[in-house]
Amino acid sequence: MTKSTAPRRSRRSLLRAAVLPVAVAGSLVLVPLPGAFAATSADAVISEVYGGGGNSGATLKNDFIELANKGTAAFGLAGYSVQYLPGTPSAGSQWGVTPLTGSVAPGARYLIAESAGTGGTVALPTPDATGTLALSGTSGTVALVNGTAPLTCKTAADCAAEPRIKDLVGFGTAVVREGSGPVAGAGNTASVARKAGLPDTDDNAADLVAGPTSPVNSKGEVPEGDTPPEPTEPGTARIHDIQGTTRVSPLAGQTLQGVPGVVTAVRAYGSKGFWIQDPNPDADPATSEGLFVYTGSANPTVKVGDSVLVTGKVAEYYPAASAGGQSLTQLTAPSIKVLSAGNPVPAPFVLNDKSIPVPYAPDAAGGSIEGLTLQPGSFALDRYESLEGMNVQVKDVRVIQATDQFHELWVAARRKDEKSKRGGVMYLGYDNPNSGRLMVQSAPLEADRPFPVANVGDELTGVTDGPLDYNRFGGYTLIANTIGARQDNGLEREVTKEAAAGELTVATYNVENLDPSDPDSKFAELAAGIVTNLRSPDILTLEEVQDANGAVNDGTVDAAATVQKFVAAIKAAGGPAYDWRSINPENNKDGGEPGGNIRQVFLFNPARVSFTDIPGGSATTAVGITGTGKATALTASPGRIEPAEDAWASSRKPLVGQFAFKGKKVFVIANHFNSKGGDQGLESRFQQPTRSSEVQRIKQATLEQAFLAKLLAADPKAAVVSLGDFNDYQFSPALSTLTKDGVLRDLVNELPERQRYSYVFQGNSQVLDHILVSPAVKHAKYDIVHINSEFAQQASDHDPQIVRIKP
């Protein structure tokens, strides 16, 4: 599956990745200290160590080690371990090891449960990893290690020279520590934890401090019962004080007493909690009056309209930080007192053309905008952030992305955003991301109130309102207490025109991780689209065809079972008996789902077109060009373009085939460039967002363009069709590279602007799939056939495309 920013989830995941603040580090000049380690960590650090679990006087039953990530990208822990050495090691002392898996999201914590004692009354929150290390409560050394083999160093100097150590904490009287000395104060009732902002100056005594235990897992959960006492009267802080005038709370990390507010919405699924809003706002439009109260695994007990006092810890949660996402300010580990019920909720802020600025975000030259004062009248992202947690409203809004399986859809809060021909919103350039796009989810459970099943162009009539949330899959999201009634716009699936006599039809379709274990209904729906909507094209390139056992990661690479089942489904739908060609990839070398071994496949109707089989093509053999003029041919058909080049690492290699139609050669290239996974999202806290995956696609385009240049040098009249899922836009550097020197022209640019899309992501109708042709192909009738991307019921997340040519 491909998309325009970070990878989409495969299942519902609204649980918290973290609930603790991340401070922005300032400049610091380091002076070398005795025993200091060679390099400080900019990402993963040991954030807390506790060895008193289950000891006399302890509350917690287990020892634990907690990691944190202060970087801007997820930190993978595969192959890493945490290791422990006694504070005063003897000649026979050895490092104990707990292997780790998974990753630590930016701004998140990662909890490792170690051995339990016989005492204690409170269990840790569900750990992310579990080991058997028996830590001392008062003195020892813990290291985060790149590897699982036990360390052998036993002095500070030797460990400072050990390149596998990522971070190290010595506590109590530990001989092995960072800096001038270990951090003091650990005991049965106290852990040692890194100070606010997660400093790492390689001096344990300076960077960490002893205090009450505060373990947090990757979901942001804390030990049950680890909450402050119920508030009895309002404290001094109000919600607008907590939210502040920037994206990060000025009170982050502080536990506040008795924050007053009225409950505006309750969520008892996924990320459980409720929203409160102050009915007595301040006069500053930059400070939000709403706030989310996160209740962890516990269902909220409050109701909409309750006037409450909440005591809790202010935290910045980064649900999408791995892709540069913004944070959500919230209160965690709350204690709640209900003062009264049935109070009116504050009136919603109306989001529309007047209140949402056209400019999307301030430009920080790729840097973070977190510390900038919000300008809600100037930038859309600032407007949304200034309303974070507050009641907002949209009215009579157009649906611009259909309802998905997770019961969410997107609407256009601004009517003036660029409209597609069929009711969506067009994404036509990096400089215009469409500022009015807004995700809508439901506050009540689906069982309590069915969510509307809407297609693009439908309308939610009347009022849709509720608090403005932020999540990793859509950024700013309206959590609807009230949702408008669906008005059907009558959207229909398109059918392409019939080919004229003498026209060859060539189509492309991303069939979204197709394998034999998929239900027969998926095969049938895809087949019907090919037969009915594409009118059984002569040549069809497929992307995302998986091997015979799909995601089972057992070394299977052959996809014959998948293709044969699909060919049979097409024939059963009334289509031709397609023949096919492909090349099996090397196991797990082409990206996609591990074990799936996705690849491109040629289907062709042998009654209309013939395939020129030329032996020699393999997963690792580069196809070349032989001959000139009319004798120009491939050295292998099917073949792959430069499969050994680094540009194709963990990515699909283009599949090239030579066909014949009415005596004319046609060269077809089936493409699936690397995905946009890892790119910072449009709503990123880094502006302008970094499109890191673009680098590889440019390299891929460069290799294919060079191959095409050789082919056209041999035969300038060669008919070439290059098509597939390029995972990039018509205005992107990758497509500009591919079409350099006129070797190809991108047919999507010949459509009216309002029709240039094959995929819908975060409310933007956009181009990821393309059909390009060589200069000799003068007659090219191109069509994007909209049968999936705009509909709640989809056979694939991509629309197929087709071109009618006369070679």
Side-chain angles (χ1 to χ4, degrees), residues 34-341:
F37 279 54
T40 59
S41 176
D43 37 47
V45 293
I46 298 168
S47 53
E48 190 171 359
V49 176
Y50 176 60
N55 292 354
S56 176
T59 300
L60 293 176
K61 298 177 181 181
N62 288 73
D63 299 343
F64 70 85
I65 301 166
E66 182 193 273
L67 308 179
N69 181 4
K70 60 181 181 177
T72 58
F75 185 87
L77 292 172
Y80 274 77
S81 63
V82 288
Q83 302 194 17
Y84 170 72
L85 184 72
T88 307
S90 66
S93 296
Q94 296 182 340
W95 288 82
V97 178
T98 299
L100 305 177
T101 59
S103 63
V104 195
R109 305 292 166 125
Y110 181 100
L111 184 63
I112 305 137
E114 298 293 358
S115 66
T118 57
T121 58
V122 176
L124 293 171
T126 304
D128 301 296
T130 301
T132 58
L133 301 178
L135 279 60
S136 166
T138 57
S139 180
T141 302
V142 173
L144 175 60
V145 181
N146 186 358
T148 56
L151 298 169
T152 58
C153 58
K154 295 181 182 178
T155 68
D158 287 346
C159 288
E162 170 56 69
R164 294 191 299 146
I165 295 178
K166 173 71 173 173
D167 191 29
L168 181 142
V169 170
F171 60 97
T173 58
V175 170
V176 179
R177 79 278 180 175
E178 289 184 345
S180 58
V183 54
N188 292 348
T189 60
S191 66
V192 293
R194 209 164 286 272
K195 295 177 182 178
L198 302 174
D200 182 21
T201 66
D202 282 346
D203 185 355
N204 291 158
D207 294 340
L208 295 100
V209 65
T213 58
S214 56
V216 179
N217 66 11
S218 63
K219 295 179 180 179
E221 295 169 336
V222 298
E224 293 294 335
D226 190 11
T227 57
E230 183 179 286
T232 57
E233 58 184 25
T236 58
R238 296 296 182 264
I239 293 174
H240 48 252
D241 299 321
I242 298 170
Q243 288 284 10
T245 59
T246 70
R247 285 172 165 77
V248 177
S249 172
L251 304 179
Q254 298 185 31
T255 296
L256 302 178
Q257 302 293 323
V259 179
V262 175
V263 176
T264 58
V266 177
R267 183 164 59 201
Y269 65 89
S271 181
K272 296 178 180 179
F274 59 94
W275 287 265
I276 57 174
Q277 187 165 332
D278 194 331
N280 301 303
D282 67 4
D284 190 344
T287 56
S288 172
E289 302 294 340
L291 189 66
F292 184 70
V293 180
Y294 175 56
T295 59
S297 59
N299 284 327
T301 57
V302 298
K303 296 180 174 61
V304 173
D306 285 352
S307 176
V308 297
L309 298 177
V310 182
T311 294
K313 188 174 184 178
V314 180
E316 291 293 339
Y317 161 54
Y318 287 80
S322 59
Q326 300 192 52
S327 65
L328 178 71
T329 304
Q330 58 185 15
L331 286 178
T332 64
S335 179
I336 305 149
K337 181 176 180 61
V338 177
L339 301 176
S340 62

Side-chain angles (χ1 to χ4, degrees), residues 272-533:
K272 296 178 180 179
F274 59 94
W275 287 265
I276 57 174
Q277 187 165 332
D278 194 331
N280 301 303
D282 67 4
D284 190 344
T287 56
S288 172
E289 302 294 340
L291 189 66
F292 184 70
V293 180
Y294 175 56
T295 59
S297 59
N299 284 327
T301 57
V302 298
K303 296 180 174 61
V304 173
D306 285 352
S307 176
V308 297
L309 298 177
V310 182
T311 294
K313 188 174 184 178
V314 180
E316 291 293 339
Y317 161 54
Y318 287 80
S322 59
Q326 300 192 52
S327 65
L328 178 71
T329 304
Q330 58 185 15
L331 286 178
T332 64
S335 179
I336 305 149
K337 181 176 180 61
V338 177
L339 301 176
S340 62
N343 298 281
V345 299
F349 182 96
V350 178
L351 291 170
N352 55 26
D353 290 74
K354 292 182 179 180
S355 63
I356 303 173
V358 174
Y360 192 62
D363 191 343
S368 175
I369 60 175
E370 281 189 320
L372 302 181
T373 299
L374 298 175
Q375 302 179 63
S378 299
F379 302 106
L381 281 187
D382 286 12
R383 168 63 75 198
Y384 296 138
E385 177 63 24
S386 74
L387 300 170
E388 179 191 88
M390 289 178 60
N391 253 353
V392 298
Q393 177 193 106
V394 293
K395 186 176 181 181
D396 298 332
V397 285
R398 193 174 77 253
V399 175
I400 57 173
Q401 183 164 333
T403 305
D404 63 22
Q405 60 184 309
F406 310 109
H407 305 123
E408 59 198 23
L409 52 78
W410 289 72
V411 298
R414 290 189 77 258
R415 293 179 178 272
K416 294 181 181 178
D417 281 344
E418 190 71 36
K419 188 176 180 181
S420 76
K421 183 179 180 181
R422 289 160 58 89
V425 165
M426 297 298 303
Y427 185 47
L428 297 174
Y430 298 124
D431 59 343
N432 185 17
N434 296 307
S435 62
R437 297 171 297 109
L438 193 65
M439 179 186 273
V440 176
Q441 294 177 342
S442 178
L445 292 168
E446 175 71 10
D448 298 330
R449 184 189 65 193
F451 194 78
V453 179
N455 297 325
V456 168
D458 290 351
E459 190 169 294
L460 297 184
T461 62
V463 167
T464 299
D465 65 9
L468 190 65
D469 194 28
Y470 183 90
N471 72 66
R472 66 175 299 184
F473 303 118
Y476 294 98
T477 302
L478 194 161
I479 306 297
N481 280 320
T482 304
I483 193 162
R486 172 186 172 245
Q487 178 176 299
D488 189 350
N489 190 41
L491 192 71
E492 295 184 355
R493 302 180 199 272
E494 292 184 333
V495 176
T496 197
K497 292 182 179 179
E498 288 190 78
E503 287 184 332
L504 172 71
T505 55
V506 186
T508 179
Y509 203 169
N510 183 316
V511 291
E512 196 177 3
N513 289 325
L514 187 68
D515 73 74
S517 68
D518 286 329
D520 291 346
S521 58
K522 178 176 180 177
F523 281 85
E525 193 172 355
L526 287 167
I530 289 168
V531 174
T532 301
N533 304 89

Side-chain angles (χ1 to χ4, degrees), residues 608-661:
R608 292 270 301 163
V609 64
S610 62
F611 189 87
T612 305
D613 288 294
I614 303 172
S618 73
T620 58
T621 304
V623 65
I625 308 298
T626 183
T628 59
K630 293 183 178 180
T632 299
L634 303 177
T635 58
S637 176
R640 302 178 105 193
I641 295 176
E642 304 293 351
E645 290 289 337
D646 288 343
W648 306 111
S650 298
S651 184
R652 286 67 54 185
K653 291 72 176 171
L655 184 70
V656 188
Q658 185 172 318
F659 294 82
F661 176 70

Side-chain angles (χ1 to χ4, degrees), residues 36 167 244 253 325 410 452 458 496 541 597 607 666 712 729 757:
D167 191 29
W410 289 72
D458 290 351
T496 197
T541 70
N597 291 306
V666 180
L712 295 181
Y729 316 117
Y757 62 94

